Structure formats: structure tokens, C-alpha cells
Amino acid sequence: MLAAQGVSGGGPVRAAVILPWDREDRASAARAAEARLTEAANLAAAIGLVVVHSAILPLRAVRPSTLLGPGQIELVAQAIAGQSVTVIIVDSALSPVQQRNLERAWGCKVIDRTGLILDIFGERAATREGALQVELAHLEYQRSRLVRSWTHLERQRGGFGFLGGPGETQIEADRRLIGERIVRLKRDLDQVRRTRGLHRAARRRVPFPVVALVGYTNAGKSTLFNAMTGAAVEARDQVFATLDPTMRALRLASGRRVILSDTVGFISELPTELVAAFRATLEEVAEAEIILHIRDAAHPDTLAQRADVLAVLAGMAADGMLEADWHRRVIEVENKADLLADSVPPRAGAVRVSAITGAGIADLEAAIDRRITAGMEEAEYALPPQDGARIAWLYQHGEVIGRTDGEGAIRLRVRLLPADRARFEKGP
């Protein structure tokens, strides 16, 4: 991890954050650039880096060798001179050659946005699956960095066979070792996923609707999760404070029980390696009857963050992980209402809450209740009076809206979730 690497005297790692900004209309995008730079600095702080310099550098032309122009590279070098900067974070995607050339120019370690997020995820993953997924993402990213641009990669080892030959280059050996480890990791992950599938199947036998919380990182998902369930999930004013999915039961005011699932936060330009790596969290979203899209309504870039989250969900639908009509399951939640002026109206159809003060949480639970009820199907069953177990099951899992007791049968009119109706009609 960056926070633990190469620090003389054991002090914190001093860092600089650089945002290459290539938006054409920079005047109207100035606020977005400032917000993006702040986000990058917060990402650095999330793993204990001390940011001593940050800057937005407009890109007039992308240079294949360094991304930035020579004048901008010199400006950064002057800005960090004498500040003992150990690492410079370039909040963009860097090619291996660009990364190497910038390290030579600035005389310190350089990482791009993907490398930084991978470092954060590596430090925060708590479960076995999370750790395996992060290692897999790291290796896939590292494999993409293997290019013939480092001198040690040009050495060759002796070949096999009687004729000798040029042998295996170091880059080929590195690529082969990484490939073998990736195969082992994928095999281990398949086993962990099979185990989680068994857990999910067991959860379906106690069929409470699943309500998944999604949203941009630091939107307050974990704080709201704690406020609604009384749980003690780690909730800090920090990006990616929660990585592994957490689930708790919640009883609504109607008496209906649901399972609330807290998930990892999304972020703009999330590395594709990590979208695949955190399949565990995404699978919980795919299984959910209701998706709560938690937004930081007080953030200056709240609309852009909203678009980023919706883009990730749309990508899941395109990959077949979500149903095409996933929009129908979403309830938008505008969090941090305590930081908003009363004159700012909520978005149409959204529920406004404050996870800190508790304001609006009762309205949110009522909205969840209404959405579950709207998704129920009405059915009528005639059951013998002695079949008390099945009658009790309908009362426990459905909403009985009509009952007629006859001599030979009890007729019940019930609203059930589609999955529950299928289970009941399938029988034991």
C-alpha cells in the first residue's frame, strides 16, 4: 500500500495530486474540475496520504509520451521542489510509457487514477472474497503494465533443449507467472461464489424482499443503513469506507420485514477491472426487489454523480446482470437534507432524508412499503380448515385482504410477491 511504502523516518507519505483537464468549455466546467480535484485529493487521503500540492492542468493536446506538455511538467517539478513529495497522483489514465516518463521527469513514484483506487480497495477489502477480487484486479492491471520499456524486462534466461536458443525473456516470464496466479484466483473465486450462492438460496427460503442501497461513494449509504437498521456498519466521511456488502433485517411500520443491503460506493471512471472484481456487491443489487439510489443532494456535482451511478446500473443491464426494466425498481433518495436550504425542492419522485438527524426516514420506509405492495400479485386460494400450516404461511408471507370461512374450505384472497406466489403454488 502507498501509505506504507518507502517513508523515511516512518512519517506520513507526502503526495501531490494533478488533474489533467481536457474539457473544451473549461469556463462552464470549472466547478466540475474543482469538484473532481477535491475528489482525487479525498481518494489520496483515504489511504493516509498527505496532499501538499494539487493543481488542475488544462490539456491543449494529449502527448503520447507524457500526456502533459513540457511546460506543465516543469511547473509541477517546481511546485513540489523541496516538499519531500514521495508520490504524484495523476487523476487520469496513464499508459505505462507515460507513467515511466513522468517518474523520470519528477524523480518520484507516479500512479494514475486506476492505480490509486486499486490501492484503496486493497487496503479496505475485509472478506476473503473481497481480498481475492482485489488481488485479481491488481494482477490484471499489472499485466497491462508489462511493456518493453524497462531494462530488466529485456534480459533473457537460458532456453530449454539441446540447441539452447534465446530462451524466455523476463517480460514473458512475468506475464506467465501473473497469468498462472490469475487462473488460481479465478478458481478460488468461483468456489467462494458457489458458497455465497448457497447462502443466497438459503435466504430465499426466508423470503423477505431485499432492498439494496447504491450510490456514489460518500453519499451517506452506510450512515443511512445504520439509522434504519440500528446496525454499526463503519460509516465515516470518507470515500470507500465500505467495500464488502453488509445485510441486516428491517421491520417496516406495516409489520412487513425486508433485508437491507449496504454496498460499495460507485465513482466516476471506475476501473473496468474493479467493476468485474466487485461482482459480489453487484450481485446483491441484481437480486434486490428494490434499489435505493442514495444521493448526496448537497454536493455541488450531485447531478453528475447521479448520472455516473445510473451509467453503472445501465452497464449491468447491458451485461445481463440486471433486468432491462431495472428503472422500475429504483427509489431515488436525496440524502443530507440537513445541509440543504428549505427552499430547494426535491426532485420529482425522490424521497428527501437526513441520515444524521433521522428526518424523512419514516417517509422512506413508507415509500419502500408502497413499492413492495405495488409489486405484489393478488391470488385466491381455497384451503381445508385443517391445513393450518399453509394458512399460517400465507399470513406470514403475504397480505391477506379477504377471508371467507366455509364448512369445507377457508377462502383467502392474498397479495403475494411473485416469488412467494410461485413457491406457495409449487407446494412442498
Side-chain angles (χ1 to χ4, degrees), residues 25-38:
D25 185 7
R26 297 191 188 93
S28 62
R31 175 60 252 175
E34 290 288 345
R36 175 66 178 262
L37 183 65
T38 300

Side-chain angles (χ1 to χ4, degrees), residues 33-189:
E34 290 288 345
R36 175 66 178 262
L37 183 65
T38 300
E39 179 182 277
N42 289 338
L43 286 170
I47 50 173
L49 302 181
V50 177
V51 179
V52 297
H53 173 72
S54 61
I56 300 169
L57 300 180
L59 281 183
R60 296 175 181 83
V62 175
R63 295 179 181 264
S65 60
T66 56
L67 181 67
L68 304 171
Q72 293 173 324
I73 293 173
E74 180 59 29
L75 279 175
V76 173
Q78 292 174 2
I80 65 172
Q83 298 208 56
S84 302
V85 169
T86 305
V87 58
I88 294 180
I89 297 157
V90 178
D91 191 27
S92 180
L94 292 177
S95 71
V97 171
Q98 289 170 343
Q99 183 177 352
R100 179 203 62 183
N101 289 338
L102 289 176
E103 285 181 339
R104 287 178 174 173
W106 291 329
C108 64
K109 183 178 180 64
V110 173
I111 63 172
D112 63 3
R113 182 178 179 84
T114 299
L116 177 60
I117 295 175
L118 283 170
D119 242 39
I120 297 170
F121 277 37
E123 186 174 277
R124 300 285 174 76
T127 64
R128 170 169 166 74
E129 181 174 21
L132 289 172
Q133 289 169 329
V134 168
E135 185 181 355
L136 177 61
H138 263 290
L139 288 173
E140 289 177 339
Y141 176 70
Q142 184 179 339
R143 183 165 60 177
S144 72
R145 307 273 102 180
L146 291 179
V147 294
R148 296 181 184 276
S149 57
W150 302 90
T151 55
H152 84 279
L153 297 179
E154 295 170 359
R155 294 198 302 270
Q156 292 184 332
R157 300 187 298 187
F160 296 101
F162 297 106
L163 297 178
E168 181 181 40
T169 62
Q170 185 64 46
I171 189 172
E172 289 166 349
D174 290 349
R175 186 176 287 119
R176 176 175 52 78
L177 291 172
I178 289 175
E180 290 171 355
R181 178 61 181 158
I182 286 174
V183 169
R184 288 196 297 272
L185 283 173
K186 287 183 175 179
R187 189 163 54 237
D188 291 345
L189 277 170

